[in-house]
Amino acid sequence: MTAYIALLRAVNVGGTGKLPMSELKAMCEAEGFEGVKTYIASGNVVFTSPLKEKAVKAALEARLADYAGKPVGVMVRTAAEMAAVLAAHPFPDAPGNRVVAIFLDEAPPKDTLAAVRHQANEEIRLGKREIYVRYDDGMASSKLVIPAAKSGTARNINTVAKLADMAAAL
């Protein structure tokens, strides 16, 4: 059994994509996932499964599409991968709520940094399948546009740390 973290895109953010976490938990259990636990109401769930990552992703995306009536993006990481994302984050001195990891299905494209628009004092670094961003003044006032991040989903480093801990405990 592998411990996984699934991160749903655009769930319960800004009044869109309403999904009670109890419903997400029930969906995961119906897929046969075990030890299912959700974290905050923004679409974070940890569990174990004998399935490979792509099968976990496909199963969750199919179930969520049935529920929502439209595609819902899901990024999946193993517990070890999430711990590595946390360990690799390039801004360890910044407050965890001012740094995000944007999770992608694939490695960021080679032109990711060149395509960035409206960058002010934000710092951007690329990871294996993540884009890290440090927001000195917070995300709310930022005008930063990262085209490569459009299909991904972001979590702040505090959330990444909590999810890594939860998955490690499974």
Side-chain angles (χ1 to χ4, degrees):
M1 295 286 258
T2 302
Y4 288 106
I5 299 100
L7 308 168
L8 281 57
R9 186 174 184 283
V11 169
N12 297 339
V13 177
T16 63
K18 293 291 182 187
L19 174 65
M21 292 301 95
S22 58
E23 188 69 28
L24 176 58
K25 182 177 182 192
M27 288 180 198
C28 290
E29 289 170 343
E31 286 298 327
F33 303 157
E34 296 180 12
V36 180
K37 293 185 175 109
T38 62
Y39 178 66
I40 62 178
S42 59
N44 307 298
V45 60
V46 299
F47 52 86
T48 61
S49 174
L51 300 176
K52 299 289 185 200
E53 177 184 322
K54 287 185 181 189
V56 166
K57 178 182 173 62
L60 270 175
E61 285 183 340
R63 195 166 283 273
L64 287 160
D66 286 346
Y67 176 85
K70 62 181 181 178
V72 175
V74 178
M75 303 298 141
V76 177
R77 297 295 189 272
T78 65
E81 287 173 322
M82 189 62 84
V85 167
L86 180 61
H89 101 77
F91 309 111
D93 296 330
N97 65 339
R98 297 290 175 113
V99 177
V100 299
I102 303 167
F103 293 86
L104 308 170
D105 280 329
E106 306 288 335
K110 290 186 186 339
D111 69 343
T112 296
L113 297 177
V116 168
R117 298 188 315 270
H118 309 297
Q119 185 173 359
N121 61 351
E122 303 91 353
E123 288 186 65
I124 305 167
R125 301 285 184 277
L126 304 182
K128 286 185 179 183
R129 292 193 294 163
E130 298 79 31
I131 301 169
Y132 296 97
V133 182
R134 183 181 59 81
Y135 294 91
D136 271 347
D137 300 324
M139 286 182 72
S141 61
S142 177
K143 305 289 187 220
L144 182 67
V145 176
I146 306 172
K150 186 173 180 170
S151 64
T153 189
R155 298 298 186 274
N156 75 35
I157 291 300
N158 293 338
T159 298
V160 170
K162 179 65 176 176
L163 292 169
D165 285 347
M166 289 173 67
L170 291 177

